[in-house]
Amino acid sequence: MIQKILEHFDPRNQPWMTRPSFSHELIHALTFPVALAMVEGGVVGVFAKKAFGVSPMLFATIMAAPMFANLTSFAWARLARGRPKVRFINALQLGTLASIAAIALLPTGGIGPGVLTLLVILSRCLQTGIVTIRSTVWRMNYPRRVRARITGRLALINSMIIATAPLIGYAVLDWNIEAFRVIYPASILIAMVGVGAFSRVRLRGERDLLRYEAGPTARPQPHGIPAPIYEYDPAAPNHSFWDVLRRDHHFRRYMLWQFIAGASNMMSEVVVIYLIVDLTSKAKIRFEYLTSIMLATAIPMLLAMLTLPLWARYLDRVHVTRFRGRQGWFWISNQLGNWLGAATGSLTILGIARVLHGVARGGGMLAWNLGHNDFADRRMVTLYMGIHVTLTGVRGAVVPFLAMLLFVGWPGGTIPVLGWTAPTFDGIGHHLFLATAALALIGEIGFVSLNRRIEKTG
């Protein structure tokens, strides 16, 4: 059985035209995420709160960094326009590793918490650029009929590394907190192997793509049925963020429901990690770091890894809106589990909820990276991904902080500049998760409705 599983990852068993790219990306997926795991939201959030003693709002900022960093996506898409994509991604990878390496030099007191927060934000902004431009590499190098399965295998390995690397490294912190000064540089050395491997990826059709990007730009002109099929008018005015949303009705609705469902997940994730750190500290567990990392990151990522192949086969067969309609029920169940676990203060119930989160996350990773491809022409995929990621950043810049304020409340007082007096608010505590469950349900209804509309027009 293990041999059959490993055969799926053998480049020789991939479609002939995809083998060179897949073999290099396979090495990259096995090594580069070792460093990324050190700044994964649940990992660095636990580390920041336990080792650096960050405040609730700094904690929310660190947890929100991957989300609001997406606001830079559209800028990365424009910066990469007309430039070789693999070389551009390599530069972003090196910048990411430099920002992660700097964490090893920080003091745990004084300016340490603030600088740690800034470094996490910087690394996540650079990673956003990598994700945005990599979408073009995947679209050009992997055909639609196998794209989800191939990229799903890469995401599977990526998830496995991010889930297990912190367990090995952060378990040492239970013995010596200063060990992070060795763990972070060691992760960088391993990740450099991945940077070298990715530099050897060759982008199919890059010459034509760069010629198209250097010439007069075009905006989407929907023709025919279904709507996701486009023709392009080279004489049309420059396309833009708002132009695409205005003209592509289905994609606009998809972004709306994605915004609502994503807000639900963002709000709950920030608070549930904060709650896990708090409960493990109060329980006085011997291996606080290890237990916290298991619940915050390892269990969800491992479950995502195990279920991702099933999600990938399903996504290869259906439109992303139908896919989201099925996957959404796992998000709703996860939110209700969070509510029950928080209400009872039970790490066991929260652990079950993290299992549900992991199952949903496996499908979410695929849909988030590939969903826009069901709407965009291949020449416009970076623009569509930029829109998708930027809107993710918009909600990431607001909802994690709103979630933390609703959960813990605020002391009240005069608001600077405005001079308004804010009343004291004690927070709604665990009932926050009922609100996120309601948002997840609204998003679910929206995806199902949109899928019916698309199937009717098709």
Short mmCIF file of all heavy atoms in Angstrom, two decimals, residues 7-63:
data_model
loop_
_atom_site.label_atom_id
_atom_site.label_comp_id
_atom_site.label_asym_id
_atom_site.label_seq_id
_atom_site.Cartn_x
_atom_site.Cartn_y
_atom_site.Cartn_z
N GLU A 7 4.19 5.74 -5.44
CA GLU A 7 4.19 5.77 -6.90
C GLU A 7 3.47 7.00 -7.44
O GLU A 7 3.81 7.50 -8.53
CB GLU A 7 3.54 4.50 -7.45
CG GLU A 7 4.42 3.26 -7.32
CD GLU A 7 3.72 2.00 -7.78
OE1 GLU A 7 2.50 2.10 -8.12
OE2 GLU A 7 4.35 0.93 -7.80
N HIS A 8 2.49 7.51 -6.70
CA HIS A 8 1.76 8.70 -7.13
C HIS A 8 2.68 9.92 -7.18
O HIS A 8 2.40 10.89 -7.90
CB HIS A 8 0.59 8.99 -6.21
CG HIS A 8 -0.55 8.01 -6.34
ND1 HIS A 8 -1.23 7.81 -7.52
CD2 HIS A 8 -1.12 7.17 -5.43
CE1 HIS A 8 -2.18 6.90 -7.35
NE2 HIS A 8 -2.12 6.49 -6.09
N PHE A 9 3.75 9.89 -6.40
CA PHE A 9 4.65 11.03 -6.32
C PHE A 9 5.90 10.86 -7.19
O PHE A 9 6.74 11.75 -7.25
CB PHE A 9 5.08 11.27 -4.86
CG PHE A 9 3.94 11.62 -3.96
CD1 PHE A 9 3.24 10.64 -3.27
CD2 PHE A 9 3.54 12.93 -3.82
CE1 PHE A 9 2.18 10.96 -2.44
CE2 PHE A 9 2.47 13.27 -3.00
CZ PHE A 9 1.79 12.28 -2.32
N ASP A 10 6.02 9.73 -7.85
CA ASP A 10 7.15 9.48 -8.74
C ASP A 10 6.96 10.28 -10.02
O ASP A 10 5.96 10.10 -10.72
CB ASP A 10 7.24 7.98 -9.06
CG ASP A 10 8.52 7.62 -9.80
OD1 ASP A 10 9.12 8.52 -10.43
OD2 ASP A 10 8.91 6.44 -9.75
N PRO A 11 7.91 11.18 -10.35
CA PRO A 11 7.77 11.98 -11.58
C PRO A 11 7.57 11.13 -12.83
O PRO A 11 6.91 11.56 -13.78
CB PRO A 11 9.09 12.75 -11.64
CG PRO A 11 9.52 12.86 -10.21
CD PRO A 11 9.09 11.57 -9.57
N ARG A 12 8.11 9.90 -12.83
CA ARG A 12 7.96 9.04 -13.99
C ARG A 12 6.53 8.59 -14.21
O ARG A 12 6.17 8.15 -15.31
CB ARG A 12 8.87 7.80 -13.84
CG ARG A 12 10.36 8.13 -13.89
CD ARG A 12 11.20 6.91 -13.54
NE ARG A 12 10.95 6.45 -12.18
CZ ARG A 12 11.57 5.41 -11.62
NH1 ARG A 12 12.47 4.73 -12.31
NH2 ARG A 12 11.27 5.05 -10.38
N ASN A 13 5.69 8.70 -13.18
CA ASN A 13 4.29 8.30 -13.29
C ASN A 13 3.36 9.47 -13.58
O ASN A 13 2.14 9.31 -13.57
CB ASN A 13 3.85 7.60 -12.00
CG ASN A 13 4.56 6.28 -11.78
OD1 ASN A 13 4.91 5.60 -12.74
ND2 ASN A 13 4.79 5.92 -10.53
N GLN A 14 3.93 10.64 -13.82
CA GLN A 14 3.13 11.81 -14.17
C GLN A 14 3.01 11.91 -15.69
O GLN A 14 3.81 11.30 -16.42
CB GLN A 14 3.77 13.09 -13.62
CG GLN A 14 4.19 13.03 -12.16
CD GLN A 14 3.07 12.58 -11.24
OE1 GLN A 14 1.93 13.00 -11.37
NE2 GLN A 14 3.41 11.69 -10.29
N PRO A 15 2.03 12.65 -16.21
CA PRO A 15 1.95 12.87 -17.65
C PRO A 15 3.29 13.38 -18.19
O PRO A 15 3.95 14.20 -17.54
CB PRO A 15 0.84 13.93 -17.78
CG PRO A 15 -0.03 13.69 -16.59
CD PRO A 15 0.91 13.30 -15.48
N TRP A 16 3.67 12.92 -19.36
CA TRP A 16 5.01 13.14 -19.90
C TRP A 16 5.42 14.61 -19.88
O TRP A 16 6.53 14.96 -19.44
CB TRP A 16 5.08 12.60 -21.33
CG TRP A 16 6.46 12.71 -21.91
CD1 TRP A 16 7.55 11.95 -21.63
CD2 TRP A 16 6.88 13.67 -22.90
NE1 TRP A 16 8.63 12.37 -22.36
CE2 TRP A 16 8.26 13.42 -23.16
CE3 TRP A 16 6.24 14.70 -23.59
CZ2 TRP A 16 8.99 14.17 -24.07
CZ3 TRP A 16 6.96 15.46 -24.49
CH2 TRP A 16 8.33 15.20 -24.72
N MET A 17 4.56 15.51 -20.34
CA MET A 17 4.91 16.93 -20.46
C MET A 17 5.09 17.61 -19.10
O MET A 17 5.68 18.67 -19.01
CB MET A 17 3.85 17.67 -21.27
CG MET A 17 3.80 17.28 -22.73
SD MET A 17 5.30 17.77 -23.63
CE MET A 17 5.07 19.56 -23.66
N THR A 18 4.56 17.01 -18.04
CA THR A 18 4.63 17.64 -16.72
C THR A 18 5.81 17.15 -15.88
O THR A 18 6.07 17.70 -14.82
CB THR A 18 3.34 17.38 -15.93
OG1 THR A 18 3.27 15.98 -15.57
CG2 THR A 18 2.11 17.76 -16.73
N ARG A 19 6.52 16.11 -16.35
CA ARG A 19 7.53 15.47 -15.51
C ARG A 19 8.68 16.39 -15.09
O ARG A 19 9.05 16.40 -13.92
CB ARG A 19 8.07 14.22 -16.23
CG ARG A 19 7.06 13.10 -16.32
CD ARG A 19 7.60 11.94 -17.14
NE ARG A 19 6.55 10.95 -17.39
CZ ARG A 19 6.70 9.87 -18.15
NH1 ARG A 19 7.89 9.65 -18.72
NH2 ARG A 19 5.70 9.04 -18.34
N PRO A 20 9.29 17.14 -16.01
CA PRO A 20 10.42 17.98 -15.59
C PRO A 20 10.03 18.99 -14.51
O PRO A 20 10.72 19.13 -13.50
CB PRO A 20 10.84 18.67 -16.89
CG PRO A 20 10.36 17.77 -17.98
CD PRO A 20 9.07 17.21 -17.47
N SER A 21 8.91 19.69 -14.74
CA SER A 21 8.47 20.68 -13.77
C SER A 21 8.12 20.04 -12.43
O SER A 21 8.50 20.53 -11.36
CB SER A 21 7.26 21.45 -14.32
OG SER A 21 6.82 22.42 -13.40
N PHE A 22 7.40 18.91 -12.50
CA PHE A 22 6.98 18.24 -11.26
C PHE A 22 8.17 17.75 -10.45
O PHE A 22 8.16 17.84 -9.21
CB PHE A 22 6.05 17.07 -11.60
CG PHE A 22 5.55 16.34 -10.39
CD1 PHE A 22 4.47 16.83 -9.66
CD2 PHE A 22 6.13 15.16 -9.96
CE1 PHE A 22 4.00 16.17 -8.53
CE2 PHE A 22 5.68 14.48 -8.84
CZ PHE A 22 4.61 14.99 -8.13
N SER A 23 9.20 17.23 -11.10
CA SER A 23 10.35 16.69 -10.37
C SER A 23 11.06 17.79 -9.59
O SER A 23 11.47 17.58 -8.44
CB SER A 23 11.33 16.02 -11.34
OG SER A 23 11.83 16.96 -12.28
N HIS A 24 11.18 18.99 -10.17
CA HIS A 24 11.82 20.10 -9.46
C HIS A 24 10.92 20.62 -8.34
O HIS A 24 11.39 20.92 -7.23
CB HIS A 24 12.15 21.23 -10.44
CG HIS A 24 13.14 20.85 -11.50
ND1 HIS A 24 14.30 20.18 -11.21
CD2 HIS A 24 13.13 21.06 -12.85
CE1 HIS A 24 14.98 19.98 -12.34
NE2 HIS A 24 14.29 20.50 -13.34
N GLU A 25 9.64 20.71 -8.63
CA GLU A 25 8.71 21.21 -7.61
C GLU A 25 8.56 20.21 -6.45
O GLU A 25 8.26 20.60 -5.33
CB GLU A 25 7.34 21.51 -8.23
CG GLU A 25 7.33 22.74 -9.13
CD GLU A 25 5.99 23.42 -9.16
OE1 GLU A 25 5.53 23.88 -8.09
OE2 GLU A 25 5.38 23.46 -10.24
N LEU A 26 8.78 18.94 -6.74
CA LEU A 26 8.72 17.92 -5.69
C LEU A 26 9.83 18.15 -4.66
O LEU A 26 9.59 18.11 -3.45
CB LEU A 26 8.84 16.54 -6.32
CG LEU A 26 8.76 15.34 -5.37
CD1 LEU A 26 7.39 15.30 -4.69
CD2 LEU A 26 9.02 14.05 -6.12
N ILE A 27 11.05 18.40 -5.15
CA ILE A 27 12.16 18.68 -4.24
C ILE A 27 11.89 19.96 -3.46
O ILE A 27 12.13 20.05 -2.25
CB ILE A 27 13.48 18.81 -5.03
CG1 ILE A 27 13.81 17.48 -5.71
CG2 ILE A 27 14.63 19.25 -4.11
CD1 ILE A 27 14.99 17.55 -6.66
N HIS A 28 11.35 20.95 -4.15
CA HIS A 28 11.01 22.23 -3.50
C HIS A 28 9.99 22.01 -2.40
O HIS A 28 10.12 22.56 -1.29
CB HIS A 28 10.46 23.19 -4.56
CG HIS A 28 9.97 24.49 -4.01
ND1 HIS A 28 8.65 24.69 -3.65
CD2 HIS A 28 10.61 25.65 -3.73
CE1 HIS A 28 8.50 25.92 -3.20
NE2 HIS A 28 9.68 26.52 -3.23
N ALA A 29 8.98 21.19 -2.66
CA ALA A 29 7.91 20.95 -1.67
C ALA A 29 8.42 20.17 -0.46
O ALA A 29 7.84 20.28 0.63
CB ALA A 29 6.76 20.18 -2.33
N LEU A 30 9.48 19.43 -0.63
CA LEU A 30 10.04 18.64 0.47
C LEU A 30 10.97 19.45 1.37
O LEU A 30 11.26 19.03 2.50
CB LEU A 30 10.81 17.44 -0.08
CG LEU A 30 9.97 16.27 -0.62
CD1 LEU A 30 10.83 15.32 -1.44
CD2 LEU A 30 9.28 15.53 0.52
N THR A 31 11.43 20.59 0.90
CA THR A 31 12.45 21.34 1.65
C THR A 31 12.06 22.77 2.01
O THR A 31 12.21 23.18 3.16
CB THR A 31 13.76 21.37 0.84
OG1 THR A 31 13.48 21.87 -0.49
CG2 THR A 31 14.36 19.97 0.71
N PHE A 32 11.55 23.53 1.05
CA PHE A 32 11.27 24.94 1.31
C PHE A 32 10.26 25.16 2.44
O PHE A 32 10.43 26.07 3.26
CB PHE A 32 10.78 25.62 0.03
CG PHE A 32 10.70 27.12 0.13
CD1 PHE A 32 11.85 27.89 0.19
CD2 PHE A 32 9.48 27.77 0.16
CE1 PHE A 32 11.80 29.28 0.29
CE2 PHE A 32 9.40 29.14 0.26
CZ PHE A 32 10.57 29.91 0.32
N PRO A 33 9.21 24.33 2.56
CA PRO A 33 8.23 24.54 3.64
C PRO A 33 8.78 24.35 5.04
O PRO A 33 8.11 24.71 6.01
CB PRO A 33 7.14 23.51 3.32
CG PRO A 33 7.29 23.22 1.88
CD PRO A 33 8.75 23.31 1.61
N VAL A 34 9.97 23.76 5.18
CA VAL A 34 10.55 23.61 6.52
C VAL A 34 10.72 24.97 7.17
O VAL A 34 10.43 25.15 8.37
CB VAL A 34 11.91 22.88 6.45
CG1 VAL A 34 12.61 22.89 7.81
CG2 VAL A 34 11.71 21.44 5.98
N ALA A 35 11.15 25.95 6.39
CA ALA A 35 11.30 27.31 6.92
C ALA A 35 9.94 28.00 7.06
O ALA A 35 9.69 28.69 8.05
CB ALA A 35 12.21 28.14 6.01
N LEU A 36 9.07 27.78 6.09
CA LEU A 36 7.74 28.40 6.16
C LEU A 36 6.97 27.93 7.38
O LEU A 36 6.17 28.67 7.95
CB LEU A 36 6.93 28.08 4.89
CG LEU A 36 7.51 28.55 3.55
CD1 LEU A 36 6.51 28.29 2.44
CD2 LEU A 36 7.89 30.02 3.60
N ALA A 37 7.22 26.68 7.79
CA ALA A 37 6.53 26.13 8.96
C ALA A 37 6.82 26.94 10.22
O ALA A 37 5.99 26.99 11.13
CB ALA A 37 6.94 24.67 9.17
N MET A 38 7.98 27.58 10.27
CA MET A 38 8.37 28.34 11.46
C MET A 38 7.56 29.63 11.61
O MET A 38 7.53 30.23 12.70
CB MET A 38 9.86 28.69 11.40
CG MET A 38 10.79 27.48 11.38
SD MET A 38 10.65 26.42 12.84
CE MET A 38 9.77 25.01 12.18
N VAL A 39 6.91 30.08 10.53
CA VAL A 39 6.07 31.28 10.62
C VAL A 39 4.63 30.97 10.23
O VAL A 39 3.85 31.88 9.94
CB VAL A 39 6.62 32.44 9.74
CG1 VAL A 39 7.88 33.02 10.36
CG2 VAL A 39 6.88 31.99 8.31
N GLU A 40 4.29 29.70 10.18
CA GLU A 40 2.88 29.30 9.98
C GLU A 40 2.06 29.88 11.13
O GLU A 40 2.49 29.88 12.29
CB GLU A 40 2.78 27.78 9.95
CG GLU A 40 1.38 27.23 9.84
CD GLU A 40 0.73 27.49 8.50
OE1 GLU A 40 1.46 27.83 7.54
OE2 GLU A 40 -0.51 27.35 8.39
N GLY A 41 0.87 30.37 10.82
CA GLY A 41 0.06 31.10 11.79
C GLY A 41 -0.04 30.45 13.15
O GLY A 41 0.27 31.05 14.18
N GLY A 42 -0.50 29.19 13.18
CA GLY A 42 -0.68 28.51 14.46
C GLY A 42 0.63 28.28 15.18
O GLY A 42 0.69 28.29 16.42
N VAL A 43 1.72 28.08 14.44
CA VAL A 43 3.02 27.80 15.04
C VAL A 43 3.62 29.07 15.65
O VAL A 43 3.96 29.11 16.84
CB VAL A 43 3.99 27.21 13.99
CG1 VAL A 43 5.40 27.08 14.56
CG2 VAL A 43 3.49 25.86 13.51
N VAL A 44 3.77 30.09 14.83
CA VAL A 44 4.40 31.31 15.33
C VAL A 44 3.49 32.03 16.32
O VAL A 44 3.96 32.76 17.21
CB VAL A 44 4.81 32.24 14.16
CG1 VAL A 44 3.59 32.95 13.56
CG2 VAL A 44 5.86 33.25 14.60
N GLY A 45 2.17 31.82 16.22
CA GLY A 45 1.26 32.41 17.20
C GLY A 45 1.47 31.83 18.58
O GLY A 45 1.55 32.56 19.57
N VAL A 46 1.60 30.51 18.65
CA VAL A 46 1.90 29.85 19.93
C VAL A 46 3.25 30.31 20.46
O VAL A 46 3.39 30.66 21.64
CB VAL A 46 1.89 28.31 19.75
CG1 VAL A 46 2.44 27.62 20.99
CG2 VAL A 46 0.48 27.82 19.43
N PHE A 47 4.25 30.34 19.59
CA PHE A 47 5.60 30.75 19.96
C PHE A 47 5.61 32.19 20.48
O PHE A 47 6.23 32.49 21.51
CB PHE A 47 6.50 30.59 18.73
CG PHE A 47 7.89 31.12 18.91
CD1 PHE A 47 8.72 30.63 19.91
CD2 PHE A 47 8.39 32.10 18.06
CE1 PHE A 47 10.02 31.11 20.07
CE2 PHE A 47 9.67 32.58 18.21
CZ PHE A 47 10.50 32.09 19.21
N ALA A 48 4.93 33.08 19.78
CA ALA A 48 4.93 34.49 20.15
C ALA A 48 4.26 34.72 21.50
O ALA A 48 4.74 35.53 22.31
CB ALA A 48 4.22 35.31 19.07
N LYS A 49 3.18 34.02 21.75
CA LYS A 49 2.45 34.23 23.01
C LYS A 49 3.18 33.61 24.20
O LYS A 49 3.25 34.20 25.28
CB LYS A 49 1.03 33.67 22.91
CG LYS A 49 0.12 34.13 24.05
CD LYS A 49 -1.32 33.75 23.79
CE LYS A 49 -2.26 34.41 24.78
NZ LYS A 49 -1.95 34.14 26.18
N LYS A 50 3.74 32.42 24.01
CA LYS A 50 4.40 31.74 25.12
C LYS A 50 5.81 32.27 25.38
O LYS A 50 6.22 32.45 26.52
CB LYS A 50 4.44 30.23 24.86
CG LYS A 50 3.07 29.54 25.00
CD LYS A 50 3.21 28.04 24.84
CE LYS A 50 1.88 27.33 25.04
NZ LYS A 50 1.40 27.38 26.43
N ALA A 51 6.60 32.49 24.32
CA ALA A 51 8.00 32.89 24.49
C ALA A 51 8.19 34.39 24.56
O ALA A 51 9.02 34.89 25.33
CB ALA A 51 8.84 32.32 23.34
N PHE A 52 7.42 35.15 23.77
CA PHE A 52 7.59 36.61 23.71
C PHE A 52 6.53 37.35 24.51
O PHE A 52 6.64 38.56 24.70
CB PHE A 52 7.57 37.08 22.25
CG PHE A 52 8.84 36.80 21.50
CD1 PHE A 52 9.16 35.53 21.08
CD2 PHE A 52 9.73 37.83 21.22
CE1 PHE A 52 10.34 35.26 20.39
CE2 PHE A 52 10.91 37.59 20.52
CZ PHE A 52 11.22 36.30 20.12
N GLY A 53 5.49 36.64 24.95
CA GLY A 53 4.46 37.28 25.76
C GLY A 53 3.74 38.41 25.06
O GLY A 53 3.47 39.46 25.66
N VAL A 54 3.43 38.24 23.79
CA VAL A 54 2.78 39.31 23.02
C VAL A 54 1.38 39.60 23.56
O VAL A 54 0.73 38.72 24.14
CB VAL A 54 2.69 38.95 21.52
CG1 VAL A 54 4.07 38.82 20.91
CG2 VAL A 54 1.88 37.67 21.31
N SER A 55 0.93 40.83 23.38
CA SER A 55 -0.41 41.24 23.81
C SER A 55 -1.47 40.62 22.91
O SER A 55 -1.15 40.13 21.81
CB SER A 55 -0.52 42.76 23.74
OG SER A 55 -0.44 43.19 22.39
N PRO A 56 -2.75 40.62 23.33
CA PRO A 56 -3.81 40.06 22.47
C PRO A 56 -3.86 40.66 21.07
O PRO A 56 -4.07 39.95 20.09
CB PRO A 56 -5.09 40.36 23.26
CG PRO A 56 -4.64 40.36 24.69
CD PRO A 56 -3.27 40.98 24.67
N MET A 57 -3.63 41.99 20.96
CA MET A 57 -3.72 42.61 19.64
C MET A 57 -2.50 42.30 18.78
O MET A 57 -2.62 42.17 17.55
CB MET A 57 -3.93 44.11 19.77
CG MET A 57 -5.29 44.51 20.35
SD MET A 57 -6.71 43.61 19.62
CE MET A 57 -6.71 44.27 17.95
N LEU A 58 -1.32 42.19 19.40
CA LEU A 58 -0.15 41.77 18.64
C LEU A 58 -0.32 40.31 18.19
O LEU A 58 0.06 39.94 17.09
CB LEU A 58 1.13 41.91 19.45
CG LEU A 58 1.81 43.28 19.48
CD1 LEU A 58 3.12 43.22 20.27
CD2 LEU A 58 2.08 43.79 18.06
N PHE A 59 -0.92 39.50 19.06
CA PHE A 59 -1.20 38.11 18.71
C PHE A 59 -2.15 38.08 17.50
O PHE A 59 -1.94 37.32 16.55
CB PHE A 59 -1.84 37.39 19.90
CG PHE A 59 -2.22 35.96 19.60
CD1 PHE A 59 -1.28 34.94 19.70
CD2 PHE A 59 -3.51 35.63 19.21
CE1 PHE A 59 -1.63 33.63 19.42
CE2 PHE A 59 -3.87 34.33 18.92
CZ PHE A 59 -2.92 33.32 19.03
N ALA A 60 -3.18 38.91 17.55
CA ALA A 60 -4.13 38.96 16.43
C ALA A 60 -3.44 39.41 15.15
O ALA A 60 -3.73 38.93 14.06
CB ALA A 60 -5.29 39.90 16.77
N THR A 61 -2.49 40.35 15.28
CA THR A 61 -1.75 40.84 14.12
C THR A 61 -0.91 39.73 13.50
O THR A 61 -0.88 39.56 12.28
CB THR A 61 -0.84 42.01 14.51
OG1 THR A 61 -1.63 43.05 15.10
CG2 THR A 61 -0.11 42.56 13.30
N ILE A 62 -0.22 38.97 14.35
CA ILE A 62 0.60 37.86 13.86
C ILE A 62 -0.27 36.81 13.18
O ILE A 62 0.07 36.31 12.10
CB ILE A 62 1.40 37.24 15.03
CG1 ILE A 62 2.51 38.20 15.47
CG2 ILE A 62 1.98 35.88 14.64
CD1 ILE A 62 3.24 37.77 16.72
N MET A 63 -1.39 36.48 13.79
CA MET A 63 -2.28 35.49 13.20
C MET A 63 -2.94 36.00 11.92
O MET A 63 -3.22 35.23 11.00
CB MET A 63 -3.37 35.10 14.21
CG MET A 63 -2.86 34.30 15.40
SD MET A 63 -2.23 32.68 14.91
CE MET A 63 -3.71 31.91 14.26
#
